Amino acid sequence: MNASAGGDFVGVIDTSLLRGELRVRESMRKHVSWRAGGTAEYFYLPADLHDLALFLSQLPRTEQVWMIGLGSNLLVRDGGLRGVVVALHARLNDLLLIEQDQAGGLIYAGAGVPCAKLARFAALHHLAGAEFLAGIPGTVGGALAMNAGCYGAETWQIVDKVRTIDRAGELHERNPEDYIIDYRHISLKQEPESVGKEEWFAGGWFRLAQGDQDISRQKIKALLTARIHSQPLNFPNAGSVFRNPTGDYAARLIEASGLKGYCVGGAMVSTKHANFVINNGDATAADIEAVIAMMSNAVKERIGIELIREVRIIGDARRNRE
């Protein structure tokens, strides 16, 4: 293992068995799309799924674990995170065509595969139904964890089964029937063997219909063009901050509350898409969180609708000394 870490943590685990990279006090600004926030106490880059299983199996049960992909739906507070962050992007990156016939095919994608890469891979193999994933700026693991979607399609509509990994490093295969699947939310049904256990998505199998490569590519191109025109992609952001309430759009409600362009420090409600908060270059996590709170409060007070946050906010609000 390549370890830049020291102290008690490394003494707890047998580093000779590991092939990944362990870091200490890693700045999370480099690993979240908002480019803001504090440091992780420990940060692990597994070599592959087997290495991740060995790493998890050695961790003390009291150690907090945070799994991340591209960090595109995440805000880490300025005080940082206790415990260990495990980064899966480009690590759990298997992308395989498992089977294909005249009706369609089955693709396996690891949790660290970018959603856009899965969309292009499916199109390449003349499989339709995954084009919408090109519009999701995250990884397969994150898409599974939150049932990510856009333009009328959602991740779990194409899931055949998933692979998960638990705190003991044990792997499981689960079917959609094992989960409560909702809009931007997934939870494991509390079966006796799963009570009190943490599990994370390690990958998934996606069942897709037979399609046409050119048509799929055209759909992906049109979707990406629409994103460029409607979203502030030239500034650091984390995508949609709030879920759309039933029968309405969070962006419309935020704009109707007069918050387009509202700023706190270097954080601002986008003037291009009101459900996006952008980093103008020097925003702290506290700035971003304050803008998010204002958006939620304003919509509730002025329109009477309570918005549900889509992005995850984790960590300690106190700023670390770096």
Side-chain angles (χ1 to χ4, degrees):
M1 182 185 77
N2 178 6
S4 56
D8 296 337
F9 185 87
V10 173
V12 170
I13 60 178
D14 186 351
T15 59
S16 67
L17 299 176
L18 301 173
R19 291 172 289 115
E21 181 182 355
L22 181 63
R23 302 174 183 172
V24 161
R25 291 188 58 77
E26 177 76 359
S27 173
M28 290 302 294
R29 296 173 194 166
K30 300 183 291 184
H31 302 288
V32 298
S33 60
W34 254 317
R35 299 292 183 260
T39 60
E41 188 176 19
Y42 298 102
F43 188 89
Y44 191 64
L45 294 158
D48 51 32
L49 184 57
H50 180 65
D51 183 63
L52 174 60
L54 283 173
F55 179 74
L56 290 174
S57 70
Q58 295 187 70
L59 284 181
R61 293 295 170 261
T62 55
E63 194 75 34
Q64 177 71 59
V65 176
W66 312 91
M67 293 283 182
I68 69 167
L70 283 165
S72 57
N73 196 45
L74 183 66
L75 180 65
V76 177
R77 291 188 173 107
D78 298 305
L81 295 170
R82 293 189 178 276
V84 57
V85 172
V86 178
L88 302 183
H89 173 233
R91 300 291 166 159
L92 274 58
N93 60 355
D94 292 340
L95 187 55
L96 306 167
L97 180 65
I98 304 300
E99 61 184 57
Q100 188 169 24
D101 56 27
Q102 292 182 346
L106 185 68
I107 292 174
Y108 176 80
V113 173
C115 292
K117 187 175 181 180
L118 173 54
R120 293 192 298 269
F121 184 82
L124 178 66
H125 290 89
H126 299 275
L127 295 174
E131 296 88 355
F132 75 95
L133 289 169
I136 297 173
T139 56
V140 166
L144 290 170
M146 64 171 293
N147 194 20
C150 60
Y151 300 100
E154 295 180 334
T155 301
W156 279 79
Q157 292 172 344
I158 58 174
V159 171
D160 186 76
K161 60 181 178 179
V162 295
R163 174 178 285 154
T164 65
I165 188 167
D166 64 22
R167 280 296 301 252
E170 295 179 357
L171 299 176
H172 310 270
E173 287 187 11
R174 298 192 179 277
N175 299 312
E177 294 76 20
D178 296 324
Y179 294 89
I180 299 170
I181 301 169
D182 206 346
Y183 173 67
R184 302 297 180 266
H185 180 75
I186 293 295
S187 59
L188 182 64
K189 293 177 181 176
Q190 292 299 298
E191 300 167 354
E193 72 274 12
S194 69
V195 173
K197 291 185 178 180
E198 282 185 283
E199 287 188 18
W200 300 275
F201 292 108
W205 288 263
F206 299 87
R207 178 73 62 182
L208 300 166
Q210 191 69 10
D212 179 273
Q213 182 181 127
D214 291 336
I215 292 174
S216 291
R217 284 178 169 173
Q218 289 169 12
K219 287 182 179 179
I220 290 172
K221 183 178 179 180
L223 187 152
L224 294 177
T225 299
R227 283 190 69 216
I228 290 170
H229 288 312
S230 64
Q231 299 176 9
L233 303 183
N234 54 329
F235 292 96
N237 69 82
S240 295
V241 173
F242 296 100
R243 303 179 193 176
N244 288 324
T246 302
D248 211 331
Y249 295 94
R252 189 197 72 79
L253 298 172
I254 295 163
E255 183 173 357
S257 300
L259 288 183
K260 263 192 172 183
Y262 175 81
C263 295
V264 174
M268 183 179 80
V269 178
S270 170
T271 56
K272 195 170 189 179
H273 191 306
N275 198 18
F276 280 59
V277 174
I278 63 171
N279 180 350
N280 274 322
D282 60 353
T284 64
D287 292 340
I288 294 169
E289 190 169 3
V291 170
I292 291 172
M294 182 61 184
M295 295 160 78
S296 177
N297 293 337
V299 170
K300 185 174 182 180
E301 291 175 4
R302 299 173 191 178
I303 302 177
I305 293 177
E306 186 161 356
L307 294 176
I308 299 173
R309 204 174 63 234
E310 190 169 309
V311 297
R312 293 172 63 207
I313 300 177
I314 58 176
D316 190 333
R318 295 172 298 174
R319 178 179 289 280
N320 280 343
R321 293 179 181 176
E322 301 184 28

